[in-house]
């Protein structure tokens, strides 16, 4: 499957400052003209450090996204039901790429992948299962389109 055929491009990364930067850098390379990045997050965006302080993942992600030329909108996801509302809310803003992670996202991974593919959003996820679901949806759609083109 070529890069041009896949609308929900996905990459597997884990949590953390460095990997968040790599995920965003990947999206920048895949969609160099994109300026609006939707960010769904299913866990707390603030973490305790070993030194006893706090690390604000949202602030760090926003700095990284801004440095890469993205305007970012964060949407916290507390329950799987929040995902549909988040996509509805974000659709009026017209994001050009999406990244997502956290336990609530992983729990509803099939739905997140389906909405990312349906909205044709290049995507970078924190969990390989979400990326795999998006790829399977995209391949199934490509197969259906090929069948329609060849059989009609």
């Amino acid at each position: 499957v070529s890069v041009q055929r896949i609308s929900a491009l996905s990459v597997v990364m884990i949590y953390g400052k460095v990997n968040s930067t790599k995920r965003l850098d990947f999206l920048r390379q895949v969609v160099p003209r994109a300026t609006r990045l939707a960010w769904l997050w299913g866990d707390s965006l603030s973490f305790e450090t070993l030194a006893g302080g706090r690390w604000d993942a949202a602030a760090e992600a926003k700095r990284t996204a801004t440095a890469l030329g993205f305007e970012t909108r964060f949407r916290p996801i507390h329950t799987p039901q929040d995902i549909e509302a988040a996509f509805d809310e974000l659709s009026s803003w017209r994001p050009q790429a999406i990244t997502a992670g956290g336990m609530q996202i992983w729990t509803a991974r099939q739905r997140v992948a389906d909405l990312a593919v349906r909205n044709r959003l290049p995507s970078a996820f924190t969990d390989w299962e979400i990326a795999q679901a998006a790829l399977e949806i995209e391949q199934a759609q490509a197969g259906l389109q090929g069948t329609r083109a060849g059989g009609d």
Side-chain angles (χ1 to χ4, degrees), residues 102-151:
M103 183 53 73
Q104 291 81 353
I105 300 297
W106 185 86
T107 301
R109 62 193 171 277
Q110 192 66 39
R111 188 71 187 129
V112 172
D114 180 55
L115 287 166
V117 170
R118 186 178 331 144
N119 287 282
R120 302 190 58 78
L121 291 171
S123 308
F125 300 111
T126 58
D127 301 284
W128 72 268
E129 293 97 343
I130 305 170
Q132 181 66 34
L135 183 59
E136 288 171 3
I137 292 166
E138 189 67 31
Q139 288 174 335
Q141 288 180 351
L144 288 175
Q145 289 172 354
T147 301
R148 279 189 225 124

Side-chain angles (χ1 to χ4, degrees), residues 59-77:
E60 183 69 38
K62 187 170 185 169
R63 279 191 293 276
T64 301
T66 299
L68 289 169
F70 288 114
E71 176 186 353
T72 303
R73 295 236 176 131
F74 282 91
R75 180 63 161 80
I77 303 297

Side-chain angles (χ1 to χ4, degrees), residues 38-108:
W39 197 305
L40 304 182
W41 199 264
D43 291 318
S44 171
L45 292 172
S46 180
F47 302 93
E48 288 186 40
T49 65
L50 292 175
R54 302 288 300 166
W55 175 60
D56 185 352
E60 183 69 38
K62 187 170 185 169
R63 279 191 293 276
T64 301
T66 299
L68 289 169
F70 288 114
E71 176 186 353
T72 303
R73 295 236 176 131
F74 282 91
R75 180 63 161 80
I77 303 297
H78 302 291
T79 68
Q81 293 76 21
D82 293 340
I83 293 168
E84 191 85 36
F87 272 89
D88 288 345
E89 178 185 313
L90 290 167
S91 68
S92 65
W93 183 57
R94 299 178 51 101
Q96 296 162 311
I98 188 167
T99 188
M103 183 53 73
Q104 291 81 353
I105 300 297
W106 185 86
T107 301

Side-chain angles (χ1 to χ4, degrees), residues 5-6 15-16 18 26 43 57 60 111 114 116 146 150:
R5 296 279 317 222
I6 298 176
Y15 296 116
V18 171
F26 170 81
D43 291 318
E60 183 69 38
R111 188 71 187 129
D114 180 55

